[in-house]
Amino acid sequence: VWDEAELRSEAGTRTLREHLGAAAFDHPKPVALVQRCLRLGTDRDGLVLDFFAGSGTTAEAVMELDAEDGGQRRTVLVQLPEPLPEDAPGRILGARTIADVARLRIAAAR
């Protein structure tokens, strides 16, 4: 059981808010959680597939992990252009879909 505070969704929400200025996505995965999984399941030159990319946490986790360990992981994110609800916080950032939120986050995390 991984129960550390940095592995809970509240940490994911804080990170997304820091990058975008708004909690643009409900319950994003925390970067530390994805990094822990990547350390266990990938090599430094591995291929990472996230078929439900959501807010783009996996891309950020891979970028940070590569910077930390000198890796050259490749990342493939898949996210259907599912529309955000009209009252979703991501709309104030110009995002119309979940995929738009991921793009904004990835650009901000670079």
Side-chain angles (χ1 to χ4, degrees):
V1 174
W2 296 341
D3 193 35
E4 297 91 337
E6 67 271 10
L7 304 181
R8 297 184 189 137
S9 64
E10 294 86 2
T13 300
R14 275 192 306 276
T15 301
L16 193 57
R17 189 177 294 120
E18 288 168 7
H19 286 318
L20 302 179
F25 195 82
D26 291 334
H27 311 293
K29 298 177 293 284
V31 172
L33 174 63
V34 176
Q35 286 178 335
R36 185 175 288 187
C37 294
L38 291 170
R39 284 186 185 101
L40 292 171
T42 66
D43 295 323
R44 291 177 356 144
D45 63 348
L47 174 62
V48 178
L49 170 64
D50 186 348
F51 201 72
F52 298 99
S55 68
T57 302
T58 300
E60 181 176 352
V62 168
M63 288 187 291
E64 285 185 11
L65 196 55
D66 280 349
E68 177 185 306
D69 68 9
Q72 294 184 353
R73 294 166 186 85
R74 293 169 293 142
T75 309
V76 177
L77 301 181
V78 178
Q79 178 59 58
L80 295 175
E82 183 179 336
L84 289 173
E86 291 299 323
D87 61 346
R91 290 280 185 158
I92 63 171
L93 303 171
R96 300 180 56 82
T97 66
I98 292 173
D100 291 338
V101 173
R103 284 187 203 90
L104 289 169
R105 182 203 194 127
I106 292 165
R110 288 188 175 171

